[in-house]
């Protein structure tokens, strides 16, 4: 089964690629790897939420936003090389805008990791960093970037 068929089976539709907020592109390919820029939880061109996790945004809400950010990263990969050319997910980096004292970043970034596991199975198993930060662009609670190996 192709990855596009798997997405369809799961009822997941890749969104359009989010427009860059500054002087960069959504994804670049170097050799057999695609590197995405950090993706925010945009839905239909609108940031889904603003605020810090552990204050205005609950960890469970943030987990959903990490999932949305990962979908946006997959959309960037798809636009560049086609989702069916993904060989495996190599690494996920998740940034979480964290209220003082919030230490649940790994659980938040699980929203991205779990999505990739659902879609890619064993090929979705990846290395990962989950980093708490003071602020993210335009007040986003999360940002996710991917490194993907392609065929």
């Amino acid at each position: 089964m192709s990855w596009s068929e798997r997405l369809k089976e799961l009822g997941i539709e890749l969104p359009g690629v989010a427009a860059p907020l500054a002087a960069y592109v959504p994804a670049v390919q170097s050799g057999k790897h695609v590197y995405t820029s950090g993706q925010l939880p945009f839905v239909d061109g609108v940031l889904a939420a603003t605020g810090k996790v552990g204050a205005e945004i609950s960890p469970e809400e943030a987990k959903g936003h990490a999932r949305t950010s990962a979908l946006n990263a997959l959309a960037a990969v798809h636009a560049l090389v086609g989702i069916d050319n993904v060989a495996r997910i190599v690494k996920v980096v998740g940034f979480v805008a964290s209220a003082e004292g919030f230490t649940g970043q790994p659980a938040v970034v699980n929203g991205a990791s779990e999505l990739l596991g659902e879609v890619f199975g064993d090929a979705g198993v990846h290395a990962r960093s989950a980093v708490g930060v003071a602020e993210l662009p335009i007040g986003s609670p999360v940002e996710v970037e991917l490194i993907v190996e392609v065929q």
Side-chain angles (χ1 to χ4, degrees):
M1 173 184 303
S2 70
W3 301 132
S4 54
E5 291 169 337
R6 177 70 180 146
L7 285 167
K8 191 172 194 171
E9 179 182 86
L10 291 169
I12 297 171
E13 187 173 325
L14 290 177
V17 178
L21 299 175
Y24 60 90
V25 294
V28 297
Q29 182 175 1
S30 179
K32 289 190 168 205
H33 292 94
V34 171
Y35 299 80
T36 71
S37 295
Q39 298 293 314
L40 306 179
F42 282 110
V43 177
D44 297 326
V46 177
L47 189 63
T50 59
K52 293 190 179 185
V53 182
E56 300 86 5
I57 306 290
S58 74
E60 209 42 50
E61 287 175 290
K63 183 178 178 181
H65 296 313
R67 179 184 177 94
T68 300
S69 297
L71 275 173
N72 289 335
L74 288 178
V77 171
H78 178 63
L80 186 64
V81 298
I83 199 73
D84 291 328
N85 287 313
V86 171
R88 72 166 298 121
I89 306 299
V90 177
K91 185 161 185 182
V92 173
V93 180
F95 301 95
V96 180
S98 301
E100 187 173 339
F102 180 73
T103 60
Q105 293 84 7
V108 169
V109 180
N110 277 349
S113 294
E114 291 169 4
L115 169 74
L116 297 168
E118 288 173 37
V119 174
F120 298 104
D122 289 343
V125 176
H126 53 269
R128 187 180 91 175
S129 297
V131 181
V133 297
E135 300 288 341
L136 285 169
I138 62 174
S140 180
V142 297
E143 182 173 346
V144 172
E145 61 183 52
L146 303 178
I147 301 172
V148 177
E149 182 181 343
V150 296
Q151 304 181 65

